Amino acid sequence: MTEPSIWWQHRADPPTQPSVPGDPGPQETFDVVVVGAGVTGLATALELVRAGRSVLVVEARHPGAVTSGRTTGKVSALQGTTLSELRRRHGDSPRVTAYVESTLAALDWVAAFCDEHGVATQRRDAVTYAASRDDVSTVRAEHDAALDAGLGVRFETDPDLPVPAYAATVLPDQLQLDPVELVLAMLEQVRKAGGRLLTGRRVQRLRQRGETVHVLGEDGLEVQGRHVVLATGAPVVDRRMHFARLTPQRSYLLAFTHPDPPDLMALSAGSPGRSWRGGELDGRRMLLVGGEGHETGRGPRESTRVDRLRRWTDEHFPDAVELGAWSAQDYMSLDGLPLVGGLGGPSSSVSVATGYRKWGLTSGVAAGIALAGAQSGAEAPWSERLYTRAPRLRDVPAFLGVQAGVALGQAGSLARGVRRPPPVEAARSGGCAALPVCTHLGGTLRWNDHEQTYDCPLHGSRFSADGEVLEGPATRALPRLPRLPGTGGRSSS
Ligand SMILES: Cc1cc2nc3c(=O)[nH]c(=O)nc-3n(C[C@H](O)[C@H](O)[C@H](O)COP(=O)(O)OP(=O)(O)OC[C@H]3O[C@@H](n4cnc5c(N)ncnc54)[C@H](O)[C@@H]3O)c2cc1C
């Protein structure tokens, strides 16, 4: 498959890592099997191996392959309008306080980790700004919520930004970094401390036998642990319909060289959201621009969204020269807080962590600290409060809202006619199912013309043009039809 150019992966040592020597097989029982090698899985694994636990990380693709290796690389306690949104939904709930405490703890963790292991970071102001007069009150609400949460923000009525801005709240001294460098350094430390890693192995099922959880998957994968952490974004084994409590949100990032990139990390309040920051990579001065978030597999064509970001950049940063454009997705939970804790069902030996609403460089690390602490007995003071409670009656309207969205997504796909790949792509891919249907719950897939993928509008599963699972709750490839007559088939690509 042709991957759009991901700037973080333009490096001499790409993040594809070989597996540990030898498949551990079913005879060895690990204290914890962590499924997924993004920031969540690696933070969990690292905390556990540091606490003396035996850990195996099983990764379907390669470390950082899905969301963690494609982020904007902002590590910040000021997160757009998150705090005011949480306050609106939850008031002064202890869970919101725990969220802020966990974010600050994760920020410290990342800063210390990067200092100790030579990951380059830059200290920058994080800025939430009003791109229109209508958004000033939203920025003011975020400022007030941040102040009340104890963050040292300052309010600016006439911010000096390179784009139109009517007000801003600014939190100094946050971090920006290269997320792939972070993932690779975390992986190296997991290994140095004795953790093991299996890559290219997709987990499909869990089976509880006595005190042990058997982790089963592709190509005869069978490993076992006393505890399993699903750090896979959307949970790939589901006992309590977590997929129905999460909304997959895709958004786009473009990287540019720029002679004078901004020295801050900005995010606009209101719509359309624009996220941007400056930086340097491999000695080049660069600008990152992101936005155009939408529910996966729904709405206008993906390439249209990328073009909108190009036009916006052209207007505000005319000296920018594009280097690459890519996208990624993260999950929104029903209550806006991370979904961290037990998976539910008959066993208490499986945990899950997701739902970071695009702030997983802190929330994923916090989840790792919390889940590892629960295993090692060294629980952070905020972790108990951060855990997700079982759904309550008051969650019902939000739950129904997500389900209505899912139904509309499917209806929209069918009404507009299924967007299929152009014939040449179908031929190259060896001819997938003519009407691709998601192997998770049967959603009608939609062709994503920017990433050249099939995306599911129901729960966000995504497949490459030749049907392999890329991400989301699905664990099985699309069925393939015989090669189209008169084409060279897969070998022609
Ligand atoms: C465009 C964009 C920009 C963002 N920018 C920022 C930012 O600047 N700052 C910030 O804090 N957050 C940001 N985020 C959010 C952040 O990137 C995510 O919250 C975070 O990376 C999630 O990490 P994760 O480890 O939970 O998931 P992932 O990184 O997706 O890792 C999950 C891993 O599990 C593996 N996996 C999945 N299924 C299986 C299976 N069945 N078997 C084995 N392995 C499996 C996957 O291959 C993957 O490697 C951004 C998100 C997006 C979409």
Side-chain angles (χ1 to χ4, degrees):
M1 172 188 127
T2 333
E3 279 246 52
S5 175
I6 300 165
W7 182 237
W8 302 123
Q9 297 178 11
H10 280 224
R11 60 182 63 247
D13 51 346
T16 5
Q17 297 280 325
S19 282
V20 281
D23 193 326
Q27 62 286 351
E28 197 173 343
T29 302
F30 292 85
D31 288 329
V32 183
V33 175
V34 175
V35 187
V39 283
T40 306
L42 292 174
T44 310
L46 190 48
E47 285 290 292
L48 285 165
V49 285
R50 283 173 173 173
R53 299 295 187 275
S54 63
V55 177
L56 174 71
V57 181
V58 185
E59 164 56 50
R61 296 174 64 189
H62 61 260
V66 175
T67 309
S68 297
R70 296 164 171 247
T71 80
T72 324
K74 299 175 180 174
V75 187
S76 173
L78 182 68
Q79 306 179 335
T81 53
T82 298
L83 295 175
S84 45
E85 284 167 32
L86 290 179
R87 174 183 263 190
R88 208 171 44 246
R89 285 181 185 195
H90 299 275
D92 292 328
S93 151
R95 289 194 67 209
V96 178
T97 323
Y99 180 76
V100 177
E101 290 170 23
S102 71
T103 300
L104 293 173
L107 235 155
D108 287 347
W109 190 101
V110 173
F113 178 86
C114 292
D115 276 355
E116 196 179 340
H117 301 294
V119 177
T121 57
Q122 297 88 47
R123 290 273 169 188
R124 291 287 183 267
D125 286 358
V127 179
T128 299
Y129 69 96
S132 77
R133 285 188 209 287
D134 289 348
D135 297 329
V136 171
S137 57
T138 311
V139 171
R140 174 58 81 176
E142 184 63 18
H143 178 77
D144 292 346
L147 268 186
D148 290 349
L151 303 183
V153 280
R154 64 171 190 272
F155 194 79
E156 295 184 358
T157 47
D158 186 16
D160 180 19
L161 299 182
V163 302
Y166 296 85
T169 181
V170 181
L171 182 63
D173 214 23
Q174 305 305 288
L175 286 182
Q176 63 180 29
L177 46 67
D178 169 345
V180 170
E181 201 183 338
L182 176 68
V183 163
L184 290 178
M186 289 169 84
L187 179 63
E188 190 185 349
Q189 294 313 311
V190 169
R191 283 177 157 164
K192 274 193 177 154
R196 312 259 302 265
L197 170 76
L198 270 178
T199 56
R201 307 296 290 276
R202 190 167 292 279
V203 170
Q204 293 169 319
R205 281 178 299 134
L206 302 180
R207 189 183 299 139
Q208 182 89 34
R209 282 212 190 116
E211 298 291 295
T212 307
V213 187
H214 290 247
V215 178
L216 308 164
E218 277 174 347
D219 305 325
L221 171 73
E222 179 166 4
V223 292
Q224 56 196 49
R226 281 175 271 278
H227 194 91
V228 172
V229 173
L230 295 177
T232 52
V236 291
V237 176
D238 215 337
R239 293 170 179 160
R240 283 215 175 137
M241 302 212 325
H242 280 84
F243 60 81
R245 297 155 67 186
L246 294 166
T247 304
Q249 269 271 341
R250 254 192 121 62
S251 50
Y252 301 80
L253 276 174
L254 276 71
F256 304 85
T257 56
H258 195 278
D260 186 22
D263 266 350
L264 47 83
M265 311 186 291
L267 184 53
S268 64
S271 184
R274 294 288 179 260
S275 169
W276 43 276
R277 75 166 177 92
E280 204 177 293
L281 197 73
D282 298 340
R284 289 210 266 185
R285 309 186 83 195
M286 58 183 280
L287 167 73
L288 272 178
V289 174
E292 290 296 320
H294 65 98
E295 288 171 25
T296 303
R298 304 191 203 172
R301 280 179 192 281
E302 290 74 8
S303 57
T304 310
R305 298 177 187 276
V306 176
D307 286 341
R308 283 185 198 148
L309 284 175
R310 283 193 179 114
R311 281 198 297 277
W312 184 88
T313 310
D314 202 34
E315 187 181 342
H316 300 294
F317 297 94
D319 298 328
V321 177
E322 187 175 326
L323 294 165
W326 65 95
S327 70
Q329 79 190 28
D330 207 11
Y331 297 86
M332 313 290 140
S333 68
L334 283 184
D335 64 5
L337 284 159
L339 212 156
V340 182
L343 180 67
S347 138
S348 58
S349 318
V350 184
S351 303
V352 64
T354 182
Y356 309 139
R357 58 195 322 263
K358 301 186 189 172
W359 291 103
L361 295 186
T362 44
S363 289
V365 169
I369 296 171
L371 293 176
Q375 292 304 304
S376 66
E379 286 206 68
W382 39 263
S383 55
E384 176 73 15
R385 281 172 288 137
L386 189 70
Y387 287 139
T388 311
R389 309 277 173 271
R392 284 169 287 193
L393 209 54
R394 70 162 188 238
D395 298 325
V396 169
F399 179 86
L400 293 177
V402 171
Q403 298 324 302
V406 164
L408 282 174
Q410 175 76 339
S413 235
L414 291 170
R416 278 191 298 273
V418 181
R419 230 202 263 152
R420 297 200 181 93
V424 69
E425 286 302 329
R428 278 204 187 121
S429 66
C432 273
L435 183 68
V437 173
C438 184
T439 56
H440 174 228
L441 288 179
T444 306
L445 300 175
R446 208 178 79 152
W447 181 246
N448 172 334
D449 67 342
H450 175 64
E451 308 264 323
Q452 311 281 290
T453 56
Y454 291 101
D455 296 358
C456 183
L458 302 197
H459 306 107
S461 293
R462 299 180 59 247
F463 302 84
S464 66
D466 58 2
E468 296 303 322
V469 179
L470 293 173
E471 66 183 300
T475 57
R476 285 165 212 284
L478 298 180
R480 289 174 197 171
L481 290 180
R483 194 191 300 168
L484 300 180
T487 70
R490 188 180 307 219
S491 59
S492 67
S493 56

